Amino acid sequence: MTGSANNTAASILDRTIQPQAGTLPIPAARFILSLELGEEDRERLAQLAAKASANSLTLEEQVELESFRNVGRMLDLLKSKARISVKNAAPACGQ
């Protein structure tokens, strides 16, 4: 692997979390699947998304929105790994 194209935050997270490998213990996987933004964060994200649609975000708000996106990407990767872990364990658990 060479070059910075392979070292974006998303690429680094993908290589680190390895969402395609369902290797989480079931209790951990179920916990991860239960994670979501709190009400206050969901409301703030909706505000930022509306301002982004109107092209009226300040620089500070753009950074804040990018932080929400980064958290979302990480949760997506973790939840993908968790879903695969639960699915892989289902035959062994008789589910």
Side-chain angles (χ1 to χ4, degrees):
M1 168 184 359
T2 60
S4 62
N6 293 322
N7 288 321
T8 63
S11 295
I12 294 167
L13 278 172
D14 187 65
R15 290 192 304 268
T16 302
I17 295 172
Q18 300 178 354
Q20 70 285 357
T23 55
L24 292 173
I26 295 306
R30 288 193 174 125
F31 172 75
I32 289 169
L33 289 170
S34 75
L35 295 175
E36 60 182 43
L37 291 177
E39 181 65 29
E40 189 175 310
D41 285 327
R42 286 193 305 269
E43 289 173 6
R44 181 61 179 153
L45 181 55
Q47 292 170 352
L48 292 170
K51 288 186 81 173
S53 293
N55 283 331
S56 62
L57 286 174
T58 65
L59 182 57
E60 185 177 284
E61 290 170 328
Q62 290 174 16
V63 170
E64 186 180 0
L65 182 57
E66 187 60 26
S67 293
F68 275 106
R69 288 180 178 142
N70 289 336
V71 168
R73 285 184 201 112
M74 185 179 300
L75 280 174
D76 286 346
L77 289 171
L78 287 169
K79 286 185 175 191
S80 177
K81 184 177 188 94
R83 281 189 296 274
I84 292 170
S85 296
V86 169
K87 180 180 177 185
N88 287 348
C93 295
Q95 295 177 356

